[in-house]
């Protein structure tokens, strides 16, 4: 049994992770810490566990085996490294950190202290992603030439009594979040297309502040892959009813995914669209994979490379938007090497 501390309810997914932990027979939630004491006390009461205002006391507690981190993103590096130094396994919300250099420092601390890290990249475990990956691997699309992924919602659209929409107001604080829609919701298109299209050569991004927030609420990035393929990533907090879309185009075929609808066309499969009768089963969730890695030493499907490349694209996109230019990913690598 893993005794777990919940570190902050800042992120909107914190309740989801508490539920997943409560439903996992290998996890027992023992304590809550929050940088916002009032919020933390309420959450601890809801979870029926003690609240501890001193983070060090939580991490020094020998009965705590692991932590689930949902703090502001700008606290990730400090808290995760501190947790690792106290020999606590770490599950955390995306993104891991704002820079590739910070990611590498976190990875080093995790490795040095022989603990397990998992960042929640859940769409890499979904059945449609696995089907898309298998379609590419089987060569049904030929050479991949274009990929497009869109994920957007209306979380920042104001309505009566909610001037920032249904998202919490702190989701628009740049210091805490590092950005807006692209770094948060756009993470899913980023890590999905990273996996499907391969290494990225360059990024050109436009992160719009449409409604005047401190961070972007609408964003598009054009991605150039080392393979020669092009990618278009779209996200935003201003779209009502926008479906999730993942589109792959190649020299031999096309794969279109919209929410739960999948259809494929390939020269190798004959004429016309085919709706697959069966698709692969989803993999275990990131949290289950994390637990299995800790208790059974079973390697997770989500890797450090997935985690690091998510930050790489975000860092390049932020620089591209700031300087209004195309950013080659080796620029980010060079920043890391010079530091």
């Amino acid at each position: 049994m893993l005794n777990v501390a919940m570190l902050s309810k800042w992120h909107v997914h914190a309740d989801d992770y508490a539920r997943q932990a409560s439903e996992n027979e290998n996890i027992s939630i023992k304590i809550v810490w929050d940088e916002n004491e009032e919020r933390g006390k309420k959450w601890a009461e809801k979870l029926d566990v003690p609240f501890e205002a001193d983070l060090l006391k939580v991490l020094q507690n020998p009965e705590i085996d692991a932590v689930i981190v949902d703090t502001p993103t700008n606290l990730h590096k400090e808290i995760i490294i501190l947790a690792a130094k106290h020999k606590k396994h770490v599950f955390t919300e995306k993104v891991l950190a704002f820079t590739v250099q910070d990611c590498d420092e976190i990875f080093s601390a995790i490795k040095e202290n022989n603990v397990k890290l998992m960042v929640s990249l859940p769409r890499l475990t979904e059945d449609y992603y696995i089907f898309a990956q298998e379609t590419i691997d089987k060569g049904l699309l030929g050479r991949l030439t274009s990929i497009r992924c869109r994920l957007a919602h209306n979380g920042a659209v104001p309505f009566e009594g909610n001037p920032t929409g249904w998202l919490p107001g702190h989701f628009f604080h740049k210091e805490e979040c590092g950005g807006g829609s692209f770094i948060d919701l756009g993470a899913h298109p980023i890590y999905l297309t990273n996996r499907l299209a391969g290494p990225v050569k360059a990024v050109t991004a436009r992160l719009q502040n449409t409604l005047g927030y401190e961070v972007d609420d609408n964003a598009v990035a054009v991605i150039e892959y080392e393979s020669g393929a092009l990618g278009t990533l779209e996200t935003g907090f201003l779209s009502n009813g926008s479906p999730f879309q993942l589109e792959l185009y190649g020299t031999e075929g096309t794969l279109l995914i919209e929410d739960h609808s999948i259809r494929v066309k390939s020269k190798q499969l004959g004429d016309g669209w085919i709706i697959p009768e069966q698709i692969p089963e989803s993999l275990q969730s990131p949290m289950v994979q994390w637990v299995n890695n800790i208790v059974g030493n079973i390697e997770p499907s989500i890797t450090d490379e997935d985690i690091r490349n998510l930050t790489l694209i975000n860092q390049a996109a932020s620089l591209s938007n700031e300087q209004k230019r195309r950013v080659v990913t080796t620029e980010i690598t060079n920043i890391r090497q010079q530091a």
Side-chain angles (χ1 to χ4, degrees), residues 104-274:
D104 289 343
E105 289 181 38
I106 292 169
F107 292 148
S108 293
I110 292 290
K111 186 176 181 181
E112 286 167 13
N113 291 282
N114 196 30
V115 292
K116 307 295 187 183
L117 169 71
M118 172 60 72
V119 178
S120 185
L121 309 182
R123 289 173 184 262
L124 289 177
T125 69
E126 295 286 355
D127 52 8
Y128 61 79
Y129 158 71
I130 299 166
F131 181 80
Q133 190 68 66
E134 288 184 357
T135 301
I136 289 174
D137 293 344
K138 289 174 182 175
L140 294 177
L141 304 183
R143 178 175 174 176
L144 186 70
T145 53
S146 296
I147 188 166
R148 173 180 174 264
C149 192
R150 176 177 177 80
L151 183 62
H153 59 51
N154 64 341
V157 177
F159 60 96
E160 189 175 349
N162 290 270
T164 61
W166 54 259
L167 283 171
H170 57 247
F171 259 51
F172 304 94
H173 296 166
K174 188 169 185 179
E175 182 182 355
E176 294 180 35
C177 304
S181 61
F182 194 74
I183 198 171
D184 181 66
L185 195 59
H188 303 288
I190 294 169
Y191 66 69
L192 282 169
T193 52
N194 279 347
R195 269 279 194 95
L196 291 164
V200 173
K201 179 181 178 181
V203 176
T204 305
R206 290 297 176 263
L207 314 181
Q208 296 283 88
N209 304 71
T210 310
L211 296 188
Y213 295 114
E214 192 177 325
V215 297
D216 59 282
D217 50 23
N218 200 22
V220 175
V222 175
I223 311 296
E224 300 169 47
Y225 299 94
E226 289 182 5
S227 67
L230 287 174
T232 307
L233 311 186
E234 304 172 20
T235 192
F237 293 155
L238 304 178
S239 295
N240 186 32
S242 177
F244 167 71
Q245 294 170 315
L246 177 61
E247 305 171 3
L248 295 89
Y249 302 94
T251 56
E252 298 286 315
T254 295
L255 172 62
L256 300 179
I257 299 171
E258 183 169 300
D259 288 337
H260 300 290
S261 172
I262 301 175
R263 57 186 176 136
V264 62
K265 181 184 287 188
S266 172
K267 283 184 177 181
Q268 301 173 37
L269 299 175
D271 296 329
W273 290 100
I274 293 174

Side-chain angles (χ1 to χ4, degrees), residues 1-2 4 6 11-29 43 46-47 68 70 91-93 118-123 125-126 188 283-291 302:
M1 178 68 70
L2 290 173
V4 166
M6 305 299 296
H11 201 280
V12 292
H13 290 156
D15 272 331
D16 296 329
Y17 300 137
R19 175 182 51 77
Q20 290 177 31
S22 298
E23 292 172 352
N24 191 303
E25 61 183 13
N26 291 308
I27 295 178
S28 178
I29 298 174
W43 200 29
K46 180 181 176 183
L47 297 175
I68 296 176
D70 275 292
F91 181 99
T92 185
E93 178 57 76
M118 172 60 72
V119 178
S120 185
L121 309 182
R123 289 173 184 262
T125 69
E126 295 286 355
H188 303 288
L283 301 177
Q284 292 174 313
S285 72
M287 185 167 291
V288 171
Q289 291 194 34
W290 176 59
V291 172
I302 297 167

